[in-house]
Coordinates of all heavy atoms in Angstrom, one line a residue:
M364 N 18.9 -1.5 -12.9 CA 18.3 -1.0 -11.6 C 17.7 0.4 -11.9 O 18.5 1.2 -12.4 CB 19.3 -1.0 -10.5 CG 18.7 -0.8 -9.2 SD 19.9 -0.9 -7.8 CE 21.1 -2.0 -8.3
P365 N 16.5 0.7 -11.6 CA 15.9 2.0 -11.9 C 16.7 3.1 -11.1 O 17.3 2.9 -10.1 CB 14.5 2.0 -11.3 CG 14.2 0.5 -11.3 CD 15.5 -0.2 -11.1
E366 N 16.6 4.3 -11.7 CA 17.4 5.5 -11.1 C 17.0 5.8 -9.7 O 17.8 6.2 -8.9 CB 17.1 6.7 -12.0 CG 17.9 6.8 -13.2 CD 17.6 8.1 -13.9 OE1 17.6 9.2 -13.3 OE2 17.4 8.1 -15.1
R367 N 15.7 5.6 -9.4 CA 15.2 5.9 -8.0 C 16.0 5.3 -6.9 O 16.2 5.8 -5.9 CB 13.7 5.6 -7.9 CG 13.1 6.0 -6.6 CD 11.7 5.8 -6.6 NE 11.2 6.4 -5.4 CZ 9.9 6.4 -5.0 NH1 9.0 5.9 -5.8 NH2 9.5 6.9 -3.9
S368 N 16.5 4.0 -7.2 CA 17.2 3.3 -6.1 C 18.6 3.9 -5.8 O 19.1 3.7 -4.8 CB 17.4 1.9 -6.5 OG 18.2 1.8 -7.6
A369 N 19.1 4.7 -6.7 CA 20.4 5.3 -6.5 C 20.5 6.1 -5.2 O 21.5 6.1 -4.5 CB 20.8 6.2 -7.7
S370 N 19.5 6.8 -4.8 CA 19.5 7.6 -3.6 C 19.3 6.7 -2.3 O 19.3 7.2 -1.2 CB 18.5 8.7 -3.6 OG 17.2 8.2 -3.8
Y371 N 19.0 5.4 -2.5 CA 18.8 4.5 -1.4 C 19.9 3.5 -1.3 O 19.7 2.4 -0.7 CB 17.4 3.8 -1.6 CG 16.3 4.8 -1.5 CD1 15.7 5.3 -2.7 CD2 15.8 5.3 -0.3 CE1 14.7 6.2 -2.6 CE2 14.8 6.2 -0.3 CZ 14.3 6.7 -1.4 OH 13.3 7.6 -1.4
D372 N 21.1 3.8 -1.8 CA 22.2 2.9 -1.7 C 22.5 2.5 -0.3 O 22.9 1.3 0.0 CB 23.4 3.4 -2.4 CG 23.4 3.4 -3.9 OD1 22.5 2.6 -4.4 OD2 24.1 4.1 -4.6
D373 N 22.5 3.4 0.6 CA 22.8 3.1 2.0 C 21.8 2.1 2.6 O 22.2 1.2 3.3 CB 22.9 4.3 2.9 CG 21.6 5.2 2.9 OD1 20.8 5.1 1.9 OD2 21.4 5.9 3.9
L374 N 20.5 2.2 2.3 CA 19.5 1.3 2.7 C 19.7 -0.1 2.1 O 19.6 -1.1 2.7 CB 18.1 1.8 2.4 CG 16.9 0.9 2.8 CD1 16.9 0.5 4.3 CD2 15.6 1.6 2.4
I375 N 20.0 -0.1 0.8 CA 20.3 -1.3 0.1 C 21.5 -2.0 0.7 O 21.5 -3.2 1.0 CB 20.4 -1.1 -1.4 CG1 19.1 -0.6 -2.0 CG2 21.0 -2.3 -2.1 CD1 19.2 0.0 -3.4
D376 N 22.5 -1.3 0.9 CA 23.8 -1.8 1.6 C 23.4 -2.4 2.9 O 23.9 -3.5 3.3 CB 24.8 -0.8 1.7 CG 25.4 -0.3 0.4 OD1 25.3 -1.0 -0.6 OD2 26.0 0.8 0.4
H377 N 22.6 -1.8 3.7 CA 22.2 -2.3 5.0 C 21.4 -3.6 4.9 O 21.7 -4.5 5.6 CB 21.3 -1.2 5.7 CG 20.7 -1.8 7.0 ND1 21.5 -2.0 8.2 CD2 19.5 -2.2 7.3 CE1 20.7 -2.5 9.1 NE2 19.5 -2.6 8.6
L378 N 20.5 -3.7 3.9 CA 19.8 -4.9 3.7 C 20.7 -6.1 3.3 O 20.5 -7.2 3.8 CB 18.7 -4.7 2.7 CG 17.5 -3.9 3.1 CD1 16.6 -3.6 2.0 CD2 16.7 -4.6 4.3
V379 N 21.7 -5.8 2.5 CA 22.6 -6.8 2.0 C 23.4 -7.3 3.2 O 23.6 -8.5 3.4 CB 23.5 -6.3 0.9 CG1 24.7 -7.2 0.6 CG2 22.7 -6.0 -0.4
R380 N 23.9 -6.4 4.1 CA 24.6 -6.8 5.3 C 23.8 -7.5 6.3 O 24.3 -8.4 7.0 CB 25.2 -5.5 6.0 CG 26.4 -4.9 5.3 CD 27.1 -3.9 6.1 NE 26.2 -2.9 6.7 CZ 25.8 -1.7 6.1 NH1 26.3 -1.5 4.9 NH2 25.0 -0.9 6.7
S381 N 22.5 -7.1 6.5 CA 21.8 -7.7 7.6 C 20.8 -8.8 7.2 O 20.1 -9.3 8.1 CB 21.0 -6.5 8.2 OG 20.1 -6.0 7.3
T382 N 20.8 -9.2 5.9 CA 19.9 -10.3 5.5 C 20.6 -11.1 4.5 O 21.8 -10.9 4.2 CB 18.6 -9.7 4.8 OG1 19.0 -9.1 3.5 CG2 17.9 -8.7 5.6
A383 N 20.0 -12.2 4.0 CA 20.6 -13.1 3.0 C 20.3 -12.6 1.6 O 20.6 -13.3 0.7 CB 20.0 -14.5 3.2
L384 N 19.8 -11.4 1.5 CA 19.4 -10.8 0.2 C 20.7 -10.4 -0.6 O 21.6 -9.9 0.0 CB 18.5 -9.6 0.3 CG 17.1 -9.9 0.8 CD1 16.4 -8.5 1.0 CD2 16.3 -10.8 -0.1
R385 N 20.7 -10.7 -1.9 CA 21.8 -10.2 -2.7 C 21.4 -8.7 -3.1 O 20.3 -8.3 -2.9 CB 21.9 -11.0 -4.0 CG 22.4 -12.4 -3.6 CD 22.6 -13.2 -4.9 NE 21.4 -13.3 -5.6 CZ 20.8 -14.4 -5.9 NH1 21.3 -15.6 -5.6 NH2 19.6 -14.4 -6.6
R386 N 22.4 -8.0 -3.6 CA 22.2 -6.5 -3.9 C 21.0 -6.3 -4.8 O 20.1 -5.4 -4.5 CB 23.4 -5.9 -4.5 CG 23.3 -4.4 -4.7 CD 24.6 -3.8 -4.8 NE 24.5 -2.3 -4.8 CZ 24.3 -1.6 -3.8 NH1 24.2 -2.1 -2.6 NH2 24.1 -0.3 -3.9
G387 N 20.8 -7.0 -5.9 CA 19.7 -6.9 -6.8 C 18.3 -7.1 -6.1 O 17.4 -6.4 -6.3
E388 N 18.3 -8.2 -5.3 CA 17.1 -8.5 -4.5 C 16.8 -7.4 -3.5 O 15.6 -7.0 -3.4 CB 17.3 -9.8 -3.8 CG 17.4 -11.0 -4.7 CD 17.9 -12.3 -4.0 OE1 18.6 -12.1 -3.0 OE2 17.4 -13.3 -4.4
A389 N 17.8 -6.9 -2.8 CA 17.6 -5.9 -1.8 C 17.1 -4.6 -2.5 O 16.1 -3.9 -2.0 CB 18.9 -5.6 -1.1
A390 N 17.6 -4.3 -3.7 CA 17.1 -3.1 -4.4 C 15.7 -3.2 -4.8 O 14.9 -2.3 -4.7 CB 18.0 -2.8 -5.6
R391 N 15.3 -4.4 -5.3 CA 13.9 -4.7 -5.7 C 13.0 -4.5 -4.5 O 11.9 -4.0 -4.6 CB 13.8 -6.0 -6.3 CG 12.4 -6.3 -7.0 CD 12.4 -7.5 -7.8 NE 12.5 -8.7 -6.9 CZ 13.6 -9.6 -7.0 NH1 14.5 -9.3 -7.9 NH2 13.7 -10.6 -6.2
V392 N 13.4 -5.0 -3.3 CA 12.6 -4.9 -2.1 C 12.4 -3.5 -1.7 O 11.3 -3.0 -1.4 CB 13.3 -5.7 -0.9 CG1 12.6 -5.3 0.4 CG2 13.2 -7.2 -1.1
V393 N 13.5 -2.7 -1.8 CA 13.3 -1.2 -1.5 C 12.4 -0.6 -2.4 O 11.5 0.2 -2.0 CB 14.7 -0.6 -1.5 CG1 14.6 1.0 -1.5 CG2 15.6 -1.0 -0.3
L394 N 12.5 -0.9 -3.7 CA 11.6 -0.2 -4.7 C 10.2 -0.7 -4.5 O 9.2 0.1 -4.7 CB 12.1 -0.5 -6.1 CG 13.4 0.1 -6.5 CD1 13.8 -0.3 -7.9 CD2 13.3 1.6 -6.4
D395 N 10.0 -2.0 -4.1 CA 8.6 -2.5 -3.9 C 8.0 -1.8 -2.7 O 6.8 -1.4 -2.7 CB 8.6 -4.0 -3.7 CG 8.8 -4.8 -4.9 OD1 8.7 -4.2 -6.0 OD2 9.0 -6.0 -4.8
V396 N 8.8 -1.6 -1.6 CA 8.3 -0.9 -0.4 C 7.9 0.6 -0.8 O 6.9 1.1 -0.4 CB 9.3 -1.0 0.7 CG1 8.9 -0.1 1.9 CG2 9.4 -2.4 1.2
L397 N 8.8 1.2 -1.5 CA 8.5 2.6 -1.9 C 7.3 2.7 -2.7 O 6.4 3.6 -2.5 CB 9.7 3.2 -2.6 CG 11.0 3.4 -1.8 CD1 12.1 3.8 -2.7 CD2 10.7 4.4 -0.7
A398 N 7.1 1.8 -3.6 CA 5.9 1.8 -4.5 C 4.6 1.6 -3.6 O 3.6 2.2 -3.8 CB 6.0 0.7 -5.6
Y399 N 4.7 0.7 -2.6 CA 3.6 0.5 -1.7 C 3.2 1.8 -1.0 O 2.0 2.1 -0.9 CB 4.0 -0.6 -0.7 CG 2.9 -0.9 0.4 CD1 1.9 -1.7 0.1 CD2 3.0 -0.3 1.6 CE1 0.9 -1.9 1.1 CE2 2.0 -0.5 2.6 CZ 1.0 -1.3 2.3 OH 0.0 -1.5 3.2
F400 N 4.2 2.5 -0.5 CA 3.9 3.7 0.2 C 3.5 4.9 -0.7 O 3.1 5.9 -0.2 CB 5.0 4.1 1.2 CG 5.0 3.2 2.4 CD1 6.1 2.3 2.6 CD2 4.0 3.2 3.3 CE1 6.1 1.4 3.7 CE2 4.0 2.3 4.4 CZ 5.0 1.5 4.6
D401 N 3.8 4.8 -2.0 CA 3.4 5.8 -3.0 C 1.9 5.7 -3.3 O 1.4 6.6 -4.0 CB 4.2 5.7 -4.2 CG 5.6 6.4 -4.1 OD1 5.7 7.2 -3.1 OD2 6.4 6.2 -5.0
E402 N 1.3 4.6 -3.0 CA -0.1 4.3 -3.3 C -1.0 5.4 -2.7 O -0.9 5.7 -1.5 CB -0.5 2.9 -2.8 CG -1.8 2.5 -3.2 CD -2.1 1.0 -2.7 OE1 -1.8 0.7 -1.5 OE2 -2.6 0.2 -3.5
T403 N -1.8 6.0 -3.5 CA -2.7 7.0 -3.0 C -3.8 6.4 -2.1 O -4.0 5.2 -2.2 CB -3.4 7.8 -4.1 OG1 -4.3 7.0 -4.8 CG2 -2.4 8.5 -5.0
T404 N -4.5 7.2 -1.4 CA -5.7 6.7 -0.6 C -6.7 6.0 -1.5 O -7.2 4.9 -1.2 CB -6.3 7.8 0.2 OG1 -5.4 8.3 1.1 CG2 -7.5 7.3 1.0
E405 N -7.0 6.6 -2.6 CA -8.0 6.1 -3.6 C -7.5 4.8 -4.1 O -8.3 3.8 -4.2 CB -8.3 7.1 -4.7 CG -9.0 8.3 -4.3 CD -8.2 9.4 -3.6 OE1 -6.9 9.3 -3.5 OE2 -8.7 10.3 -3.0
E406 N -6.2 4.7 -4.5 CA -5.7 3.4 -5.0 C -5.7 2.3 -4.0 O -6.1 1.2 -4.3 CB -4.2 3.6 -5.5 CG -4.1 4.5 -6.7 CD -2.7 4.9 -7.0 OE1 -1.9 5.0 -6.1 OE2 -2.4 5.3 -8.2
F407 N -5.4 2.7 -2.7 CA -5.5 1.7 -1.6 C -6.9 1.2 -1.4 O -7.1 0.0 -1.3 CB -4.9 2.3 -0.3 CG -5.1 1.5 0.9 CD1 -4.3 0.4 1.1 CD2 -6.2 1.7 1.7 CE1 -4.4 -0.4 2.2 CE2 -6.4 0.9 2.8 CZ -5.5 -0.2 3.1
V408 N -7.9 2.1 -1.4 CA -9.3 1.7 -1.2 C -9.7 0.8 -2.3 O -10.3 -0.3 -2.0 CB -10.2 3.0 -1.1 CG1 -11.6 2.6 -1.1 CG2 -9.8 3.7 0.2
R409 N -9.4 1.1 -3.5 CA -9.8 0.3 -4.7 C -9.2 -1.1 -4.6 O -9.8 -2.1 -4.8 CB -9.6 1.0 -6.0 CG -10.5 2.2 -6.2 CD -10.2 2.8 -7.6 NE -10.9 4.1 -7.7 CZ -10.4 5.3 -7.7 NH1 -9.1 5.4 -7.7 NH2 -11.1 6.3 -7.8
R410 N -7.9 -1.1 -4.3 CA -7.2 -2.4 -4.3 C -7.7 -3.2 -3.2 O -8.0 -4.4 -3.4 CB -5.6 -2.1 -4.1 CG -4.8 -3.4 -3.9 CD -3.4 -3.1 -3.8 NE -3.0 -2.3 -2.6 CZ -2.9 -2.8 -1.4 NH1 -3.2 -4.1 -1.1 NH2 -2.6 -2.0 -0.4
R411 N -7.8 -2.7 -2.0 CA -8.3 -3.5 -0.8 C -9.8 -4.0 -1.1 O -10.1 -5.1 -0.7 CB -8.2 -2.7 0.5 CG -6.8 -2.5 0.9 CD -6.1 -3.8 1.2 NE -6.7 -4.4 2.4 CZ -6.9 -5.7 2.6 NH1 -6.5 -6.6 1.6 NH2 -7.5 -6.2 3.6
H412 N -10.6 -3.1 -1.7 CA -11.9 -3.6 -2.0 C -11.9 -4.8 -2.9 O -12.6 -5.8 -2.7 CB -12.7 -2.4 -2.7 CG -14.2 -2.8 -3.0 ND1 -14.6 -3.4 -4.1 CD2 -15.3 -2.6 -2.2 CE1 -15.9 -3.6 -4.1 NE2 -16.3 -3.1 -3.0
R413 N -11.1 -4.7 -4.0 CA -11.0 -5.9 -4.9 C -10.5 -7.1 -4.2 O -11.0 -8.2 -4.4 CB -10.0 -5.6 -6.1 CG -10.5 -4.7 -7.1 CD -9.6 -4.6 -8.3 NE -8.2 -4.3 -8.0 CZ -7.7 -3.1 -7.9 NH1 -8.5 -2.0 -8.1 NH2 -6.4 -2.9 -7.6
E414 N -9.4 -7.0 -3.3 CA -8.9 -8.1 -2.6 C -9.9 -8.7 -1.7 O -10.0 -10.0 -1.6 CB -7.6 -7.7 -1.8 CG -6.5 -7.3 -2.7 CD -5.3 -6.6 -1.9 OE1 -5.5 -6.3 -0.7 OE2 -4.3 -6.4 -2.6
I415 N -10.6 -7.9 -0.9 CA -11.5 -8.5 0.1 C -12.7 -9.0 -0.6 O -13.2 -10.1 -0.2 CB -11.9 -7.4 1.2 CG1 -10.6 -6.9 1.9 CG2 -12.9 -7.9 2.2 CD1 -10.8 -5.7 2.7
Q416 N -13.2 -8.4 -1.6 CA -14.3 -8.9 -2.4 C -14.0 -10.3 -3.0 O -14.8 -11.2 -3.0 CB -14.7 -7.9 -3.5 CG -16.0 -8.2 -4.2 CD -16.4 -7.1 -5.2 OE1 -15.5 -6.7 -6.0 NE2 -17.6 -6.6 -5.1
A417 N -12.7 -10.4 -3.5 CA -12.3 -11.7 -4.1 C -12.3 -12.8 -3.1 O -12.5 -14.0 -3.5 CB -10.9 -11.5 -4.8
S418 N -12.1 -12.5 -1.8 CA -12.1 -13.5 -0.8 C -13.5 -13.7 -0.2 O -13.6 -14.4 0.8 CB -11.1 -13.2 0.3 OG -11.5 -12.0 1.0
G419 N -14.5 -13.1 -0.8 CA -15.9 -13.4 -0.4 C -16.5 -12.4 0.5 O -17.6 -12.6 1.0
G420 N -15.9 -11.3 0.8 CA -16.4 -10.3 1.7 C -17.6 -9.5 1.1 O -17.7 -9.3 -0.2
T421 N -18.6 -9.2 1.9 CA -19.7 -8.4 1.4 C -19.3 -6.9 1.5 O -18.4 -6.5 2.2 CB -21.0 -8.6 2.3 OG1 -20.7 -8.1 3.6 CG2 -21.4 -10.0 2.3
N422 N -20.0 -6.1 0.7 CA -19.6 -4.6 0.7 C -19.7 -4.0 2.1 O -18.8 -3.2 2.5 CB -20.5 -3.8 -0.2 CG -20.0 -3.8 -1.6 OD1 -18.8 -4.1 -1.8 ND2 -20.8 -3.5 -2.6
A423 N -20.7 -4.4 2.9 CA -20.8 -3.8 4.3 C -19.5 -4.2 5.1 O -18.9 -3.3 5.7 CB -22.0 -4.3 5.0
E424 N -19.1 -5.5 5.0 CA -17.9 -5.9 5.7 C -16.6 -5.2 5.1 O -15.7 -4.8 5.8 CB -17.7 -7.4 5.5 CG -18.8 -8.2 6.2 CD -18.7 -9.7 5.8 OE1 -18.1 -10.0 4.7 OE2 -19.4 -10.5 6.5
I425 N -16.6 -5.1 3.8 CA -15.4 -4.6 3.1 C -15.2 -3.1 3.5 O -14.1 -2.8 3.9 CB -15.6 -4.7 1.6 CG1 -15.5 -6.1 1.1 CG2 -14.5 -3.9 0.9 CD1 -16.0 -6.3 -0.3
F426 N -16.2 -2.3 3.5 CA -16.0 -0.9 3.8 C -15.7 -0.7 5.2 O -14.9 0.2 5.6 CB -17.2 -0.1 3.3 CG -17.3 0.0 1.8 CD1 -18.3 -0.6 1.1 CD2 -16.2 0.5 1.0 CE1 -18.4 -0.5 -0.3 CE2 -16.3 0.6 -0.4 CZ -17.4 0.0 -1.0
E427 N -16.3 -1.5 6.1 CA -15.9 -1.4 7.5 C -14.5 -1.7 7.8 O -13.7 -1.0 8.5 CB -16.8 -2.3 8.4 CG -18.2 -1.8 8.5 CD -18.4 -0.7 9.4 OE1 -17.6 -0.4 10.3 OE2 -19.5 0.0 9.3
R428 N -14.0 -2.8 7.1 CA -12.6 -3.2 7.2 C -11.7 -2.2 6.7 O -10.6 -1.9 7.3 CB -12.4 -4.5 6.5 CG -11.1 -5.2 6.8 CD -11.1 -6.6 6.4 NE -9.8 -7.1 6.3 CZ -9.5 -8.3 5.8 NH1 -10.5 -9.1 5.4 NH2 -8.3 -8.7 5.7
I429 N -12.0 -1.6 5.5 CA -11.1 -0.6 4.9 C -11.0 0.6 5.8 O -10.0 1.2 6.1 CB -11.6 -0.2 3.5 CG1 -11.4 -1.4 2.5 CG2 -10.8 1.0 3.0 CD1 -12.0 -1.2 1.2
A430 N -12.2 1.0 6.3 CA -12.2 2.2 7.2 C -11.3 1.9 8.5 O -10.7 2.8 9.0 CB -13.6 2.5 7.7
A431 N -11.3 0.7 9.0 CA -10.5 0.3 10.1 C -9.0 0.3 9.8 O -8.1 0.6 10.6 CB -10.9 -1.0 10.7
E432 N -8.7 -0.1 8.5 CA -7.3 -0.2 8.1 C -6.6 1.2 7.8 O -5.4 1.3 8.0 CB -7.2 -1.1 6.8 CG -7.4 -2.5 7.1 CD -7.4 -3.4 5.8 OE1 -7.2 -2.8 4.7 OE2 -7.6 -4.6 5.9
L433 N -7.4 2.1 7.3 CA -6.8 3.4 6.8 C -6.0 4.1 7.9 O -4.9 4.6 7.5 CB -7.9 4.3 6.2 CG -8.4 4.0 4.8 CD1 -9.6 4.8 4.4 CD2 -7.2 4.2 3.8
P434 N -6.5 4.2 9.1 CA -5.7 5.0 10.1 C -4.3 4.3 10.4 O -3.4 5.0 11.0 CB -6.5 5.0 11.3 CG -7.9 4.7 10.9 CD -7.7 3.8 9.6
H435 N -4.1 3.1 10.0 CA -2.8 2.4 10.2 C -1.8 2.5 9.1 O -0.8 1.9 9.2 CB -3.1 1.0 10.6 CG -4.0 0.9 11.8 ND1 -3.6 1.2 13.1 CD2 -5.3 0.6 11.9 CE1 -4.6 1.0 13.9 NE2 -5.7 0.7 13.3
R436 N -2.2 3.2 8.0 CA -1.2 3.4 6.9 C -0.1 4.3 7.4 O -0.2 5.0 8.4 CB -1.9 4.1 5.8 CG -3.1 3.4 5.2 CD -2.8 2.4 4.1 NE -2.2 3.1 3.0 CZ -1.4 2.5 2.1 NH1 -1.2 1.2 2.2 NH2 -0.9 3.2 1.1
A437 N 1.1 4.2 6.8 CA 2.2 5.0 7.2 C 1.9 6.5 7.3 O 2.3 7.1 8.2 CB 3.4 4.7 6.2
V438 N 1.2 7.0 6.3 CA 0.8 8.4 6.3 C -0.7 8.3 6.2 O -1.3 8.1 5.2 CB 1.3 9.2 5.2 CG1 0.8 10.6 5.2 CG2 2.8 9.2 5.2
A439 N -1.4 8.3 7.4 CA -2.8 8.1 7.4 C -3.6 9.3 6.8 O -3.3 10.4 7.1 CB -3.3 7.9 8.9
P440 N -4.5 8.9 5.9 CA -5.3 10.0 5.3 C -6.3 10.5 6.3 O -6.5 9.9 7.4 CB -6.0 9.3 4.2 CG -6.1 7.9 4.7 CD -4.9 7.6 5.5
P441 N -7.0 11.6 6.0 CA -8.1 12.0 6.9 C -9.1 10.9 7.0 O -9.3 10.1 6.1 CB -8.7 13.3 6.2 CG -8.2 13.2 4.8 CD -6.9 12.4 4.8
E442 N -9.9 10.9 8.1 CA -10.9 9.9 8.3 C -12.0 10.0 7.2 O -12.4 11.1 6.9 CB -11.6 10.0 9.6 CG -12.5 8.9 9.9 CD -13.0 9.0 11.4 OE1 -12.4 9.5 12.2 OE2 -14.1 8.4 11.6
L443 N -12.3 8.9 6.5 CA -13.3 8.9 5.4 C -14.5 8.2 5.9 O -14.4 7.1 6.6 CB -12.7 8.2 4.2 CG -11.5 8.9 3.6 CD1 -10.9 8.0 2.5 CD2 -11.8 10.3 3.1
S444 N -15.7 8.7 5.6 CA -16.9 8.0 5.9 C -17.1 6.8 5.0 O -16.5 6.7 4.0 CB -18.1 9.0 5.8 OG -18.3 9.2 4.4
L445 N -18.0 5.9 5.4 CA -18.3 4.7 4.6 C -18.8 5.2 3.2 O -18.5 4.6 2.2 CB -19.3 3.8 5.2 CG -18.8 3.2 6.6 CD1 -19.9 2.3 7.1 CD2 -17.5 2.4 6.4
R446 N -19.6 6.3 3.2 CA -20.1 6.8 1.9 C -18.9 7.3 1.0 O -18.9 7.1 -0.2 CB -21.1 7.9 2.2 CG -21.6 8.5 1.0 CD -22.6 9.6 1.2 NE -23.2 10.1 0.0 CZ -23.9 11.2 -0.2 NH1 -24.2 11.9 0.9 NH2 -24.4 11.5 -1.3
Q447 N -18.0 8.0 1.6 CA -16.8 8.4 0.9 C -16.0 7.3 0.3 O -15.6 7.3 -0.8 CB -15.9 9.3 1.7 CG -16.5 10.7 2.0 CD -15.7 11.4 3.1 OE1 -15.4 10.9 4.1 NE2 -15.3 12.7 2.7
L448 N -15.9 6.2 1.1 CA -15.2 5.0 0.6 C -15.9 4.4 -0.6 O -15.3 4.0 -1.6 CB -15.0 4.0 1.7 CG -14.1 4.4 2.9 CD1 -14.2 3.4 4.0 CD2 -12.7 4.6 2.4
R449 N -17.3 4.3 -0.5 CA -18.1 3.8 -1.6 C -17.9 4.6 -2.8 O -17.8 4.1 -3.9 CB -19.5 3.7 -1.2 CG -19.9 2.6 -0.2 CD -21.4 2.5 0.0 NE -21.6 1.5 1.1 CZ -21.7 1.8 2.4 NH1 -21.6 3.0 2.8 NH2 -22.0 0.9 3.2
R450 N -17.9 5.9 -2.7 CA -17.7 6.8 -3.8 C -16.4 6.6 -4.5 O -16.3 6.8 -5.7 CB -17.9 8.3 -3.4 CG -19.4 8.5 -3.0 CD -19.7 10.0 -2.8 NE -19.6 10.6 -4.2 CZ -19.8 11.9 -4.4 NH1 -20.1 12.7 -3.4 NH2 -19.8 12.4 -5.6
I451 N -15.3 6.4 -3.7 CA -14.0 6.1 -4.3 C -14.1 4.9 -5.2 O -13.6 4.8 -6.3 CB -13.0 5.9 -3.2 CG1 -12.7 7.3 -2.6 CG2 -11.7 5.3 -3.8 CD1 -11.7 7.2 -1.4
V452 N -14.8 3.8 -4.8 CA -14.9 2.6 -5.5 C -15.8 2.7 -6.7 O -15.5 2.3 -7.8 CB -15.3 1.4 -4.6 CG1 -15.5 0.2 -5.4 CG2 -14.2 1.2 -3.6
Y453 N -17.0 3.3 -6.5 CA -18.0 3.2 -7.5 C -18.3 4.6 -8.2 O -19.0 4.7 -9.1 CB -19.4 2.8 -6.8 CG -19.3 1.4 -6.3 CD1 -19.4 1.1 -5.0 CD2 -19.1 0.3 -7.2 CE1 -19.3 -0.2 -4.5 CE2 -19.0 -1.0 -6.7 CZ -19.1 -1.2 -5.4 OH -19.0 -2.5 -4.9
G454 N -17.5 5.6 -7.8 CA -17.7 6.9 -8.5 C -18.8 7.8 -8.0 O -19.6 7.6 -7.2

Protein backbone atom coordinates (compact mmCIF):
# COMPACT_ATOMS: atom_id res chain seq x y z
CA MET A 1 0.00 0.00 0.00
CA PRO A 2 1.50 3.39 -0.95
CA GLU A 3 2.65 5.72 1.82
CA ARG A 4 0.01 8.31 1.01
CA SER A 5 -2.77 6.08 2.33
CA ALA A 6 -1.22 5.98 5.83
CA SER A 7 -2.74 9.36 6.69
CA TYR A 8 -6.18 8.14 5.53
CA ASP A 9 -6.43 5.11 7.82
CA ASP A 10 -9.56 6.50 9.51
CA LEU A 11 -11.30 6.90 6.13
CA ILE A 12 -10.21 3.43 5.04
CA ASP A 13 -11.48 2.00 8.35
CA HIS A 14 -14.81 3.76 7.82
CA LEU A 15 -15.15 2.31 4.31
CA VAL A 16 -14.38 -1.19 5.60
CA ARG A 17 -17.02 -0.81 8.33
CA SER A 18 -19.69 0.74 6.14
CA THR A 19 -19.28 -1.23 2.90
CA ALA A 20 -18.47 -4.74 1.72
CA LEU A 21 -14.97 -3.61 0.74
CA ARG A 22 -11.94 -5.33 2.20
CA ARG A 23 -9.14 -3.13 3.57
CA GLY A 24 -6.97 -3.35 0.43
CA GLU A 25 -9.92 -2.52 -1.81
CA ALA A 26 -10.93 0.40 0.40
CA ALA A 27 -7.38 1.76 0.33
CA ARG A 28 -7.34 1.53 -3.46
CA VAL A 29 -10.66 3.38 -3.67
CA VAL A 30 -9.34 6.17 -1.44
CA LEU A 31 -6.18 6.50 -3.54
CA ASP A 32 -8.20 6.50 -6.78
CA VAL A 33 -10.48 9.26 -5.48
CA LEU A 34 -7.49 11.32 -4.33
CA ALA A 35 -5.84 10.89 -7.74
CA TYR A 36 -9.06 12.02 -9.42
CA PHE A 37 -9.13 15.22 -7.38
CA ASP A 38 -5.40 15.82 -7.92
CA GLU A 39 -6.07 16.18 -11.65
CA THR A 40 -5.27 19.69 -12.84
CA THR A 41 -7.74 21.72 -14.87
CA GLU A 42 -5.60 21.19 -17.97
CA GLU A 43 -5.46 17.42 -17.41
CA PHE A 44 -9.23 17.33 -16.87
CA VAL A 45 -9.92 19.31 -20.06
CA ARG A 46 -7.62 17.08 -22.14
CA ARG A 47 -9.04 13.87 -20.67
CA ARG A 48 -12.67 14.91 -21.13
CA HIS A 49 -11.94 16.09 -24.69
CA ARG A 50 -10.51 12.66 -25.55
CA GLU A 51 -13.42 10.83 -23.88
CA ILE A 52 -16.18 12.87 -25.52
CA GLN A 53 -14.42 12.86 -28.89
CA ALA A 54 -14.10 9.06 -28.71
CA SER A 55 -17.87 8.83 -28.23
CA GLY A 56 -18.46 10.87 -31.39
CA GLY A 57 -18.81 14.42 -30.10
CA THR A 58 -17.90 17.35 -32.31
CA ASN A 59 -15.47 19.98 -31.03
CA ALA A 60 -18.26 22.55 -30.68
CA GLU A 61 -20.27 20.13 -28.51
CA ILE A 62 -17.19 18.97 -26.62
CA PHE A 63 -16.01 22.41 -25.54
CA GLU A 64 -19.52 23.51 -24.55
CA ARG A 65 -19.90 20.38 -22.45
CA ILE A 66 -16.50 20.78 -20.78
CA ALA A 67 -17.25 24.42 -20.02
CA ALA A 68 -20.51 23.30 -18.36
CA GLU A 69 -18.75 20.56 -16.34
CA LEU A 70 -15.86 22.64 -14.97
CA PRO A 71 -17.84 24.64 -12.38
CA HIS A 72 -19.01 21.37 -10.83
CA ARG A 73 -15.53 20.07 -10.02
CA ALA A 74 -14.72 19.75 -6.31
CA VAL A 75 -12.44 22.78 -6.55
CA ALA A 76 -13.82 24.70 -9.47
CA PRO A 77 -11.24 26.52 -11.56
CA PRO A 78 -11.82 30.06 -12.78
CA GLU A 79 -14.27 30.26 -15.65
CA LEU A 80 -12.49 29.50 -18.93
CA SER A 81 -13.65 30.71 -22.32
CA LEU A 82 -14.14 28.24 -25.17
CA ARG A 83 -11.00 29.67 -26.73
CA GLN A 84 -9.00 28.98 -23.55
CA LEU A 85 -10.31 25.41 -23.50
CA ARG A 86 -9.24 24.93 -27.14
CA ARG A 87 -5.78 26.27 -26.34
CA ILE A 88 -5.41 23.75 -23.51
CA VAL A 89 -6.16 20.91 -25.92
CA TYR A 90 -4.38 22.14 -29.04
CA GLY A 91 -1.71 24.44 -27.60
